[in-house]
Amino acid sequence: MAKSKLNKKIPELVSSFENILVCNNKQLRPFVEIFVFEPENVTQKNLGTLMGVFEINDTSEDSSYVVNYLSSVIKKEYFSKPKRAPIESFEAALHRGNLALSKIAEHGNVKWIGKLNAIIAIIEKNNLHLSQAGTASALLLRAKGLTDISEDLSPTDSDLHPLKTFINVSSGRLEAQDKLIVTTAGMFEIFSLEEVKKSALRFSGEKFIQFLKTALGSELEKAAVLVVDIQEKTEAEPVATTRKDKTLNAFSQSAFFREPAPSATNTGKLPPEKVSAEMTQEIADEINTGKEEFINEKSGHIYIKGTMEESLNIKPPVDYLAIFNRQLGAAHSGVKRISKSSGLLLLNAARRISLPKISLPKINLPARSASPARHADESRAGWHSDAGGPAKKVDAPKPIAKITTAETIPKIALRKAEPTAPGKNYAAILAAKAQEIFSAKNKGRLLNFLQQAWDKTKNAFVRLLPDFTKIKKITGQLDYQQRIYAIVIVLLIFVVPLLGLRINAYIQSRKPQPVAPVVEVIVPPLSQDKNVTRIENLNAVYSDSNINTVINLNDKFFAVSQTQIADLQTAEKIAIPADFGQIKFALGMDDLNLLFLINADNKIISFSPVPKKFQTNTLTVPASADVKAAGTYLTYLYLVDANANQIYRYPRAEGGFGAPTNWLKTSLDLSQTSGLALSDNIFVASNNTLTKLFKSQKQDFTLEASATPIAPFKVYTKPDSQNIFILDKQNSRVVKIDPNGQIIFQFYNSEIGSATDFTVDEVNNTAYISTAGEIKSFSIN
């Protein structure tokens, strides 16, 4: 007999985190960091916890933002796709971190290379995955043994390259009672591995943490240690509940409950607290009484006599359709019966009606045989028969008139229809009638009639013509002068109307003709342009007074006005500090998940959407600067100075931004700058043109020629985007182009002409425009 497999349940583990961050010199704080990022919602739960330590041994200002920037980039990528497997998300996050470091190096910031020490790790369920850079270490204490599990993960000095910062991943299983110590190399300046192991075994959890804080804080300027204790998850046992006795319902699920087979401890009988002995016997008696009636011979199933509705004393559902059909049938039969009765009644009434009798001379007709026309013959003779009974004599009504004129008799006789006999040849009858009509006698009458009609028509026509004899006689009686007058009058009768028509035509021709209105041909805007989509209506998203702009911050959208910031997804509004003053620029920094507001005095504050708090930042702007545009890339801030025709780049530093550097190395007119967008390149919209910059130099870049030239007012792109969007306010359109300046799509709506700024949601193919009092959106599919 095969052995059954053992169901060994893997215990669920829980982790507790304690961090020890030492920084006795505040200026070194930007160069060391500990992070523990937990899932923010249920969908991210399977990804577990992302944790680690960072340290940079270069203390220059260019390196001051790398730690903060790198941790935010890795967190964003790791939790961006919850449906990915944790190890896939971890590898994607490390790759994204390498790319971010590579971009920093492309901008000339390379002092941190070879001086970055880091451990990045995830704990998901009972699994641990980690990667190393530099001299940071991950130690695992298990069963009184301490192991460096990060050994040899970091790339060698010959492989130093930003894209190879995190290249190796180590994975393993965690067990209950494990202790993980993630630390920078500073701890080993005080303790050896053996001393760390002995201290961890000697002290309990809290005392060990306190021991490390005291020792490291006293001996080191900066250090970062993260201690993780792994314990088995304990669950409270469920409280047993006793069910109350209740009467068994034969139609409930408990009536069909199958008890387990009898065993040494189970006799096969129901416990007394579930069903009483009386109830058991009652059910058994009912089954035995109707055993033959209830048991199906073929299947052996037990059935209950009668329907469930009868057993529960519930009336069966009413079949309204059947009732309606029955009533409809009854109504049809009634109508049919009434119609039949009414028809017979009318027929009998008609039979009793007697027509006036007319006295006619006796005409010999052929004898009639018995036929269904009997009732009609009897009626004419003054007889009436009821319902097919024997004919009875009735008094005929008196005749209305008596015809005695001999001339009238033949005419009436002609109207007398001959009796119709079955099988009579109607064609022969019609031929005989035609022969009678066209006989010699009748033919003469017909020709005589036609001759008379022709004579009358000819005489009438002759009477219409003038009598020339009378005209000649009258004319002969006139003298010469009278004849002249008569001729003139006749001519005038015919000439004057013709002359009047000619005069009228001449007068009409001399009148100024009404000028036909010029039909203006309306040409739709951009009718000759490439790939134009006309947006019928824009969707109203948000309204407020004095709106400054709309911002896309990590695919979350915020409306910024002079008094508040509104989250367009949640509709939550946060008031801007009243003493900040007039807002000039509002922009987002994805890598830090912060919004920055710059006022007219070039003061800057940051806003974090998570705690929803504002913080004052440091920013030094030359006193003579005329800032026309602002933008961010990674953790850098860029400002366009129109007076100096220069672009300043500010690195992120503790409490704000460090000293600026002159980024632009070529001559460029920036006096009319209206828009700025940054990715791997910088795009400047100025004076209806778009300029592309890379590594401080102007690039060869031209927009595709269009029937309606593109006039860039604002420009939008992002580091991970392959598209560039241009707000052409002058022509009420948003143009989507590729990195080479070729037009992909154009979106037109007259309301776009009133936009002050715009942004794009490429994930959902939606564009947002801001006006002075409203934010609207439209699809860019």
Side-chain angles (χ1 to χ4, degrees), residues 170-448:
S170 177
S171 302
R173 300 279 291 183
L174 295 172
E175 297 180 0
Q177 309 304 320
D178 282 352
K179 185 186 292 290
L180 184 65
I181 304 172
V182 180
T183 179
T184 55
M187 187 176 68
F188 300 115
E189 297 178 9
I190 305 174
F191 304 111
S192 64
L193 282 177
E194 186 64 23
E195 289 173 336
V196 173
K197 181 184 75 173
K198 289 180 180 179
S199 301
L201 294 174
R202 183 187 310 155
F203 298 113
S204 61
E206 294 180 359
K207 291 182 179 180
F208 179 63
I209 300 300
Q210 185 60 44
F211 165 75
L212 290 179
K213 285 183 178 179
T214 303
L216 299 178
S218 302
E219 301 293 334
L220 300 176
E221 281 193 347
K222 64 181 176 68
V225 180
L226 176 63
V227 180
V228 186
D229 284 307
I230 312 298
Q231 302 293 335
E232 185 174 345
K233 185 177 182 179
T234 58
E235 297 182 359
E237 295 184 0
V239 180
T241 57
T242 304
R243 298 178 62 184
K244 296 182 179 180
D245 294 341
K246 61 178 182 179
T247 305
L248 177 66
N249 183 353
F251 300 99
S252 67
Q253 292 182 358
S254 60
F256 303 95
F257 176 79
R258 179 177 292 178
E259 289 294 333
S263 63
T265 58
N266 181 15
T267 60
K269 297 180 181 180
L270 291 174
E273 66 271 18
K274 289 187 177 180
V275 182
S276 63
E278 293 80 1
M279 179 64 72
T280 304
Q281 185 62 38
E282 182 179 347
I283 295 174
D285 291 340
E286 289 181 0
I287 294 175
N288 293 329
T289 301
K291 185 175 183 181
E292 296 180 356
E293 182 178 359
F294 297 153
I295 299 179
N296 186 290
E297 294 179 356
K298 293 182 179 180
S299 63
H301 293 168
I302 297 176
Y303 294 87
I304 298 174
K305 189 174 182 180
T307 63
M308 182 67 75
E309 290 83 358
E310 292 172 349
S311 302
L312 299 178
N313 195 23
I314 298 175
K315 295 182 180 180
V318 180
D319 190 348
Y320 292 103
L321 184 59
I323 293 174
F324 177 74
N325 286 334
R326 289 197 298 270
Q327 292 180 350
L328 187 61
H332 178 267
S333 300
V335 171
K336 186 176 180 180
R337 185 173 59 254
I338 292 170
S339 300
K340 185 175 181 180
S341 300
S342 301
L344 293 174
L345 181 62
L346 291 173
L347 183 59
N348 292 332
R351 287 173 176 173
R352 289 193 292 268
I353 296 174
S354 298
L355 297 176
K357 190 173 182 180
I358 301 174
S359 298
L360 296 175
K362 186 175 181 180
I363 300 174
N364 294 326
L365 297 174
R368 289 180 178 271
S369 60
S371 67
R374 171 180 173 230
H375 294 295
D377 295 336
E378 291 174 349
S379 179
R380 281 193 291 270
W383 294 85
H384 177 70
S385 173
D386 293 330
K392 298 178 180 179
K393 183 72 174 180
V394 295
D395 295 332
K398 295 181 179 181
I400 296 175
K402 187 175 182 180
I403 300 174
T404 58
T405 306
E407 183 183 359
T408 312
I409 293 174
K411 295 180 181 179
I412 298 176
L414 288 175
R415 295 193 189 103
K416 184 70 175 178
E418 292 186 1
T420 303
K424 190 132 184 182
N425 191 342
Y426 293 102
I429 296 173
L430 292 174
K433 291 293 184 182
Q435 186 177 3
E436 181 182 352
I437 292 172
F438 292 100
S439 63
K441 179 181 178 181
N442 292 332
K443 185 177 181 180
R445 292 180 180 177
L446 181 60
L447 293 175
N448 186 33

Side-chain angles (χ1 to χ4, degrees), residues 709-746:
I710 300 173
F713 174 66
K714 296 288 184 181
V715 59
Y716 172 89
T717 189
K718 287 223 171 185
D720 54 352
S721 175
Q722 297 300 316
N723 303 305
I724 303 159
F725 296 86
I726 299 171
L727 172 60
D728 182 357
K729 181 177 179 179
Q730 179 177 312
N731 297 297
S732 302
R733 63 181 166 180
V734 170
V735 185
K736 180 180 179 181
I737 63 173
D738 65 15
N740 297 320
Q742 298 300 302
I743 296 173
I744 302 175
F745 284 112
Q746 302 186 66

